[in-house]
Amino acid sequence: DVKVTQSSRYLVKRTGEKVFLECVQDMDHENMFWYRQDPGLGLRLIYFSYDVKMKEKGDIPEGYSVSREKKERFSLILESASTNQTSMYLCASSRDRALFFGPGTRLTVL
Amino acid sequence: AQSVTQLGSHVSVSEGALVLLRCNYSSSVPPYLFWYVQYPNQGLQLLLKYTTGATLVKGINGFEAEFKKSETSFHLTKPSAHMSDAAEYFCAVPFTGRRALTFGSGTRLQVQP
């Protein structure tokens, strides 16, 4: 069965902190994605990775970076968290263009 | 610009009534189209997937979607709503030149008893 896990369901951080969101998939998928979800805006793509150490910017990459050192793990990094990064963060991997999502991390930046 | 439009951010139906959630996309015929469902405090779950050739696609939980090329639409329907259908529904399209899916802004379905 397809499984994508995210390290935290809820996270509270302070402005200026460096934040790491971890995502792991057990399906041997090459492509992995980070989206953020905000009310009324749907899902917006932050970054994606199509292979180990390979990444491409999505639609809203500013203030974020990513790391993919192993095929199964894709990390999203907020270099210096700001209040406007308070959001739900969703990780996904894909097969045949279909996305399989993790449960999400609800991040609050105070 | 490539976009996915879901008409109606909120839809309310009575239990047992027809569910119709609308999705339109702005491009030539994509090879795939998707509907996802998100229950409260959960990630998105694949509801159904359209692939080139079929016009009516059946998904999980009694949902189906009809692809209409002339209208660039991919509306989601269910003949009889159940309370457990209350959730947010997203239409998604893989536009040419993009590896990732582009999502609509979502429609929250409320089912009244």
Side-chain angles (χ1 to χ4, degrees), chain B residues 4-22:
Chain B
V4 181
T5 302
Q6 292 185 239
L7 290 176
S9 58
H10 289 81
V11 170
S12 182
V13 300
S14 299
E15 193 172 17
L18 171 71
V19 176
L20 171 60
L21 305 181
R22 300 175 187 275

Side-chain angles (χ1 to χ4, degrees), chain B residues 5 16 23 31 56 72 82-83 105:
Chain B
T5 302
C23 174
L56 191 63
T72 62
H82 192 272
M83 297 296 290
S105 55

Side-chain angles (χ1 to χ4, degrees), chain B residues 57-94:
Chain B
V57 183
K58 292 190 183 299
I60 62 173
N61 301 337
F63 283 92
E64 58 185 32
E66 185 175 8
F67 169 67
K68 290 187 176 181
K69 179 180 176 181
S70 60
E71 298 177 7
T72 62
S73 69
F74 189 53
H75 300 333
L76 182 71
T77 61
K78 182 174 180 177
S80 177
H82 192 272
M83 297 296 290
S84 60
D85 295 327
E88 190 156 21
Y89 293 81
F90 294 91
C91 180
V93 179

Side-chain angles (χ1 to χ4, degrees), chain A residues 9-10 31 33 35 37 40-43 45 48 50 56 59 90 95-103, chain B residues 31-32 34 36 38 41-46 49 88 90 94-95 98-106:
Chain A
R9 293 298 306 275
Y10 300 92
N31 298 319
F33 305 81
Y35 285 85
Q37 181 182 13
L41 298 178
L43 277 73
L45 181 66
F48 70 94
Y50 50 92
E56 280 191 25
D59 300 315
L90 293 165
R95 181 183 68 225
D96 297 332
R97 304 306 298 270
L99 294 179
F100 299 93
F101 284 88
Chain B
Y32 305 97
F34 301 89
Y36 283 84
Q38 185 179 34
N41 298 315
Q42 294 186 27
L44 277 70
Q45 179 183 355
L46 181 63
K49 172 184 176 182
E88 190 156 21
F90 294 91
F95 289 117
R98 290 177 60 94
R99 291 180 190 258
L101 295 182
T102 299
F103 285 81
S105 55

Side-chain angles (χ1 to χ4, degrees), chain A residues 2-3 9 18 22-24 26 32-33 35 40 42 44 46 56-57 60 66 70 73-74 77-78 81 83 92 94 101:
Chain A
V2 168
K3 194 144 177 87
R9 293 298 306 275
K18 191 169 186 176
E22 307 285 340
C23 174
V24 177
D26 66 356
M32 295 187 73
F33 305 81
Y35 285 85
R44 293 179 292 165
I46 304 172
E56 280 191 25
K57 293 180 180 179
I60 52 165
V66 290
K70 293 184 177 182
R73 189 181 296 270
F74 190 35
I77 303 155
L78 286 65
T83 55
S94 75
F101 284 88

Side-chain angles (χ1 to χ4, degrees), chain A residues 26-83:
Chain A
D26 66 356
M27 298 160 286
D28 202 36
H29 290 164
E30 292 183 347
N31 298 319
M32 295 187 73
F33 305 81
W34 278 105
Y35 285 85
R36 68 176 277 177
Q37 181 182 13
D38 300 287
L41 298 178
L43 277 73
R44 293 179 292 165
L45 181 66
I46 304 172
Y47 266 99
F48 70 94
S49 168
Y50 50 92
D51 202 349
V52 174
K53 297 190 185 295
M54 307 303 288
K55 61 186 179 184
E56 280 191 25
K57 293 180 180 179
D59 300 315
I60 52 165
E62 298 78 18
Y64 303 94
S65 62
V66 290
S67 171
R68 192 159 179 210
E69 298 296 319
K70 293 184 177 182
K71 191 173 186 179
E72 67 270 18
R73 189 181 296 270
F74 190 35
S75 303
L76 180 69
I77 303 155
L78 286 65
E79 298 290 343
S80 178
S82 63
T83 55

